[in-house]
């Protein structure tokens, strides 16, 4: 792991995690000059293939992402409100067939749709349930994978018998057999235990997911 600090923005730094993964940390609006670091060797920028923008960054200015010529995947946070598009950036994103990973309904989602980029939705938390009697919490998550498949993660956490002990499990489950693209949010919620119903039907990301699935299903028919 290596950390590169910006010369021009004290809150901006880059963490090289290896295997092409780069974390872009900062606050607020980030400018092109903020990518200049104290490290005279900038080959690390060319090594980055997956760039993750932290959730405190709200705007990425012109010339920022262009500094990473081999990027293949962009992980964009919900608070992000703007990426300034340039001809150079458009050429880079399409030339590298960049995959945008962001939440449904976020700016990252709109950015991918507007510029015709591949889009991978963030996982959607369908519901959370606390069983006080058994001192157990369960989280239900709809997961999306790069190959286009989806599944359900059941994440269970429980306190152990002895003080300080804890445990749990993560269970992978396929999508419910009765799921069909184009179903209503109420029908979708009915496919899961009743304790999650209200959380699912009131989740705007679930509604948008189902609407997109319906659009894709209709496009396949044409």
């Amino acid at each position: 792991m290596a950390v590169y600090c910006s010369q021009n923005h004290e809150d901006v730094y880059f963490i090289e995690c290896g295997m092409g993964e780069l974390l872009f940390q900062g606050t607020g609006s980030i400018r092109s000059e903020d990518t200049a670091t104290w490290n005279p060797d900038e080959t690390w920028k060319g090594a980055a293939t997956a760039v993750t923008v932290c959730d405190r960054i709200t705007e990425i200015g012109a010339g920022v992402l262009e500094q990473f010529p081999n990027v293949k995947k962009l992980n964009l946070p919900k608070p992000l409100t703007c990426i300034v598009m340039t001809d150079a950036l458009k050429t880079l994103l399409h030339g590298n067939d960049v995959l945008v990973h962001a939440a449904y309904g976020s700016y990252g989602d709109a950015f991918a749709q507007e510029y015709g980029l591949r889009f991978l939705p963030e996982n959607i938390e369908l519901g959370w349930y606390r069983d006080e009697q058994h001192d157990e919490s369960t989280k239900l998550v709809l997961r999306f994978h790069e190959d286009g498949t989806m599944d359900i993660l059941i994440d269970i956490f429980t306190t152990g018998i002895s003080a300080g002990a804890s445990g749990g499990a993560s269970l992978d489950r396929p999508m419910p057999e009765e799921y069909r693209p184009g179903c209503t949010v109420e029908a979708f919620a009915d496919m899961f235990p009743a304790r999650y119903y209200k959380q699912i039907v009131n989740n705007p990301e679930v509604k948008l997911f189902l609407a997109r699935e319906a659009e894709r299903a209709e496009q396949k028919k044409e």
Side-chain angles (χ1 to χ4, degrees):
M1 179 182 293
V3 179
Y4 307 97
C5 299
S6 172
Q7 294 182 22
N8 302 307
H9 195 314
E10 64 180 6
D11 290 331
V12 171
Y13 56 96
F14 306 90
I15 303 174
E16 190 177 28
C17 302
M19 303 296 290
E21 293 189 14
L22 184 73
L23 301 183
F24 187 172
Q25 299 284 347
T27 303
S29 180
I30 308 302
R31 309 159 300 169
S32 176
E33 52 265 38
D34 296 334
T35 63
T37 69
W38 296 105
N39 189 340
D41 180 5
E42 294 197 335
T43 56
W44 59 274
K45 291 182 179 179
T49 56
V51 174
T52 297
V53 179
C54 82
D55 60 10
R56 292 185 300 146
I57 294 175
T58 56
E59 181 176 343
I60 298 176
V64 174
L65 295 177
E66 291 89 327
Q67 298 293 315
F68 307 97
N70 296 308
V71 63
K72 303 286 187 182
K73 183 179 181 181
L74 282 176
N75 300 304
L76 302 179
K78 288 182 179 179
L80 186 69
T81 60
C82 178
I83 296 176
V84 177
M85 181 58 76
T86 64
D87 290 341
L89 180 56
K90 190 180 295 184
T91 298
L92 173 65
L93 296 175
H94 285 285
N96 289 357
D97 192 24
V98 168
L99 176 67
V100 176
H101 184 207
Y104 271 122
S106 67
Y107 173 80
D109 179 7
F111 179 80
Q113 303 303 316
E114 179 177 359
Y115 294 106
L117 301 170
R118 292 189 299 126
F119 177 65
L120 174 66
E122 278 188 3
N123 296 340
I124 298 176
E125 184 175 312
L126 298 177
W128 178 273
Y129 177 73
R130 174 69 183 167
D131 183 346
E132 296 292 348
Q133 181 178 354
H134 298 96
D135 196 14
E136 182 176 277
S137 297
T138 304
K139 181 168 64 175
L140 194 65
V141 180
L142 172 58
R143 298 193 302 184
F144 302 92
H145 304 284
E146 290 190 24
D147 63 1
T149 61
M150 300 173 287
D151 63 13
I152 301 297
L153 172 69
I154 303 173
D155 216 0
I156 304 168
F157 177 83
T158 180
T159 303
I161 297 175
S162 60
S166 62
S170 292
L171 308 175
D172 301 326
R173 294 290 183 267
M175 287 288 281
E177 290 185 2
E178 60 268 42
Y179 169 71
R180 295 292 182 273
C183 68
T184 65
V185 66
E186 292 81 10
F188 184 72
D190 278 335
M191 299 173 196
F192 301 94
R195 57 179 174 265
Y196 300 113
Y197 184 88
K198 288 185 178 180
Q199 296 178 68
I200 293 174
V201 297
N202 292 319
N203 189 326
E205 289 186 40
V206 173
K207 295 176 182 178
L208 189 51
F209 154 68
L210 293 171
R212 294 277 180 83
E213 285 285 284
E215 289 174 6
R216 280 190 283 268
E218 285 300 315
Q219 290 172 357
K220 289 181 179 179
K221 293 178 182 178
E222 296 176 358

